[in-house]
Every structure is written in C-alpha cells, then in structure tokens.
Amino acid sequence: MSYVVLLSIIIPVFNVERFLSECIESALAQFAPHQKAHCLDAAEGEIILVNDGSTDNSLDVCKRFAEKHKNIRVVNKTNGGVASARNAGLDIACGKYIAFLDGDDCFFPGIMKRVLGIAENNQAGIVSFSARSGKVFTLPSESESKKEKEAVRLFVNGEFQKKNSGKSVVWGNLIRRDILSENQLRFDETMRIFEDWRFWIDFLPHIKKAVSANILGYFYRYNPRSLSHNGKAENLRADWRVWRKTIFPLLHREMQKYEQAGESEIAEAYDRWRRSVILPLFWRAFKGGVPVAEMRGDIDYLQRCGCYPVVSSCHFSPVAKFAQFLFSRRSFFLSVLALRNCWGRSSA
C-alpha cells in the first residue's frame, strides 16, 4: 500500500462548537512550526474534520481552520453518528497511520511524533498511550511529567489480546491503516453506542505486533452533553439492548472460539471483557425501565452463558458489591424493576 502522508488524524464533529477550536489547535500543534524538535513536518500529516450534520456553528469553525491550513480537509455529511463520521474519514485518509480524536477532546503537545517513532521502530500495528480526563484542558503538570517513564512494552501475536481485551475506545491509539484496509475493517454504523467495542472485537485478532507506551498523550473531556453521557430513559434502554443483543454475543463467540483453539488465556481475557460491564449495564437497564418480561429473558440468556449471577470483583466498591448482591437475586431484581417501571409510568 502506498501512502501520501505518514499520519491521518480523523476528528468526527457533531455540535461541539464550544470546544472545537481547542481540539483542532491541539491537532495542528502536532506539526511544525510549533516546537519543531517535538513535532512532525506539516507535509507529513493531514487532519480530516468530518462534520456529522451539526446544527450549531461547528461547520463554520471547520471551514475557518481549513482556509488557513493546507493540511486540513473538511467532510460535510448528513448526521449518521460517530461510527459513520469515522468511516467517512477513513474513506479518504491517505496516512500510513491513523489517529482518532473526538471533537471535544485534545492531544497533548508532541504526542504524535513520539508514538510514530515507537511504531516505526517496533514495526507495530498499534501503539496505545495514556489519557487523562477532566472538564478543562490543561497541559501535563510537572508531577505528571515526572511520573511518566515512557516505558514501552512490546506484545507479539496474541499477547495484546490477553492484556488489552476490554478496550472500549479507539482514541488514545495510533493504528496502521493497512490493517484496516486489508481486512476491510470499519465501524458499525448501525450502533449509536459501543461502536468502539465492536471495532476492537473485529480488530484485535489481526494485530501481530503492538506496543503499550506509558506516555500521557490524550485529554478526554467530560462533556455532559455528549452522547455517551446522555441519561434519557430511551437511550439507557437502547444501550442495554445493543450490548445484550450485539456486543455480548460477539464476545461470547470469541471466547468460545479461543477455548476451542486451546488458547485459554485469550479465552479468559474475553470472558473478563464480557463480564466487565454487566453490573453497570444492569443499572442502566434498571434506570431506563427495560420491561420485566424482556429483562427476564435477558437474565435467562446470561445465566445460560455462565454470567449470571454477577460475579463479585475485588475491584468493586462497597456500593457496587451491594448492587451486585441485589441484582444477582433474580426474583428480587425483577420485582424491584417492575415497581420502578410502574412508578415511572405513574409519574410521567
């Protein structure tokens, strides 16, 4: 595969006018003339802004930056969700490597040059780096910089699956584009949530060499208006159904596949992954008012798969352990859910 540039940064944009300029500037800062020793040359990369039918002034912000910077391209499309926006970016990307940046998040200075060097030196299909979350973007503090060891760990064959099954986001990673192209990997555009999970399920088996780097490179902004934090009842119900009917069966299939192949450690990794969000999603199902009959069938299915009652974890907080205790009492949970649904209808 031939490449026009070394790096393509794909930024899906939907109604993030408030944060978008800061996001784009953090992507531009990865290239010269900003601190040349720590940056790529502008000719080595491109920034693809995919406006996914924004109804605010996000598109105007994108166009304004594109007019000033030759390495910025803008795609304007009707709203189709973040999976659709990322796919639109992938369709025109020219880079050897891909990095995803959400429109309300930011890169820390110099991260792309550092991880690209690691990827090239190790011939890695993916380099994962660290993230920090918050509401306001600030540069790494002196104490954070001192803690950073820039230790890199190389994984070969299935080692990355054993350690990283459970990944739920595509940001914070640098990915070789040829892996996506050769295996026809894209994001599932039918999913409003967990599209990252579906991507990783498809992507992980194709990684032969991977690197995990202890480098702080990504700022994830907690934005209560974002889709992932939208707590409307219909969205909570949809989240449960997508996970239960799409993600869980896929993880269960992968676990069984590796069990049959004698890859017990990878199978165990997928087992941990499929169990990891049962409890929080039970809570979302409860808050969203999933019908009792549907929940009863879902619990029966999880029980047949060996995932119910919910297994306690040493990482659970006391509150989570109490919730696990309650949710794992089938009759009690369904009774409380029925009462909650009745109360929800009466108060509507």
Side-chain angles (χ1 to χ4, degrees):
M1 177 181 289
S2 59
Y3 307 101
V4 176
V5 292
L6 184 61
L7 172 67
S8 296
I9 298 174
I10 297 175
I11 305 178
V13 175
F14 178 70
N15 288 353
V16 285
E17 175 190 0
R18 180 183 172 190
F19 308 112
L20 187 55
S21 292
E22 192 172 46
C23 169
I24 297 172
E25 287 168 357
S26 79
L28 284 168
Q30 304 303 313
F31 306 98
H34 302 273
Q35 298 178 340
K36 289 189 178 181
H38 305 290
C39 297
L40 299 163
D41 188 277
E44 294 181 286
E46 62 178 356
I47 299 170
I48 301 173
L49 305 174
V50 184
N51 180 56
D52 189 40
S54 296
T55 56
D56 63 2
N57 293 317
S58 292
L59 179 58
D60 292 336
V61 176
C62 292
K63 289 179 177 178
R64 188 164 65 247
F65 273 94
E67 288 172 358
K68 297 179 180 179
H69 302 276
K70 293 181 179 179
N71 63 338
I72 291 181
R73 292 196 280 168
V74 178
V75 176
N76 187 33
K77 59 184 286 298
T78 56
N79 181 253
V82 66
S84 171
R86 287 173 178 156
N87 285 341
L90 286 172
D91 288 341
I92 65 168
C94 299
K96 181 178 180 179
Y97 294 91
I98 300 289
F100 294 101
L101 175 63
D102 286 353
D104 48 1
D105 297 342
C106 296
F107 282 138
F108 288 122
I111 182 62
M112 287 295 105
K113 184 169 183 177
R114 295 170 75 180
V115 294
L116 278 166
I118 293 170
E120 294 282 83
N121 291 338
N122 292 278
Q123 293 298 296
I126 179 173
V127 178
S128 293
F129 50 96
S130 301
R132 185 230 289 159
S133 61
K135 293 183 178 180
V136 179
F137 175 61
T138 56
L139 296 178
S141 65
E142 185 176 345
S143 60
E144 284 178 314
S145 300
K146 286 181 179 179
K147 289 179 182 178
E148 186 179 289
K149 299 176 183 177
E150 200 163 333
V152 298
R153 181 173 179 185
L154 178 65
F155 299 92
V156 295
N157 298 323
E159 290 293 324
F160 193 72
Q161 285 176 285
K162 296 174 189 176
K163 300 295 182 182
N164 290 274
S165 290
K167 266 185 172 295
S168 58
V169 292
V170 295
W171 47 258
N173 300 279
L174 183 73
I175 297 171
R176 279 278 296 265
R177 186 165 65 92
D178 58 359
I179 297 177
L180 306 183
S181 301
E182 291 170 5
N183 297 286
Q184 299 181 325
L185 300 178
R186 285 294 188 271
F187 292 90
D188 187 336
E189 298 185 14
T190 66
M191 302 177 71
R192 73 171 279 282
I193 196 167
F194 300 125
E195 77 288 337
D196 288 14
W197 286 57
R198 175 59 191 268
F199 175 85
W200 284 116
I201 293 169
D202 295 334
F203 178 70
L204 280 172
H206 301 289
I207 302 174
K208 293 182 173 61
K209 295 181 73 176
V211 172
S212 177
N214 184 35
I215 303 173
L216 185 59
Y218 195 97
F219 174 76
Y220 171 78
R221 190 189 307 273
Y222 177 79
N223 180 5
R225 297 181 181 179
S226 69
L227 189 62
S228 60
H229 296 114
N230 190 322
K232 291 183 179 179
E234 60 267 28
N235 290 335
L236 297 175
R237 289 194 295 271
D239 294 352
W240 168 263
R241 288 165 181 160
V242 169
W243 179 83
R244 157 62 187 85
K245 296 178 180 180
T246 303
I247 299 300
F248 184 89
L250 287 172
L251 291 171
H252 187 62
R253 179 201 68 193
E254 291 298 299
M255 185 195 75
Q256 291 181 315
K257 180 179 75 176
Y258 286 107
E259 279 182 342
Q260 293 168 3
E263 296 279 0
S264 60
E265 288 187 75
I266 297 179
E268 289 171 6
Y270 279 96
D271 184 32
R272 290 192 300 271
W273 192 1
R274 69 184 185 141
R275 292 174 183 271
S276 64
V277 292
I278 290 179
L279 185 59
L281 282 169
F282 260 131
W283 177 241
R284 293 174 78 84
F286 175 76
K287 290 198 297 181
V290 174
V292 175
E294 180 182 341
M295 198 76 239
R296 184 182 294 112
D298 290 341
I299 289 175
D300 289 343
Y301 171 71
L302 293 175
Q303 197 163 17
R304 291 194 298 273
C305 294
C307 285
Y308 188 87
V310 180
V311 177
S312 187
S313 166
C314 62
H315 301 295
F316 281 3
S317 67
V319 173
K321 287 183 178 179
F322 181 65
Q324 175 262 331
F325 174 82
L326 296 180
F327 289 150
S328 293
R329 271 60 188 172
R330 184 177 186 275
S331 298
F332 175 82
F333 172 65
L334 292 174
S335 298
V336 173
L337 179 63
L339 289 172
R340 188 259 178 256
N341 291 356
C342 289
W343 179 82
R345 285 194 294 271
S346 65
S347 61

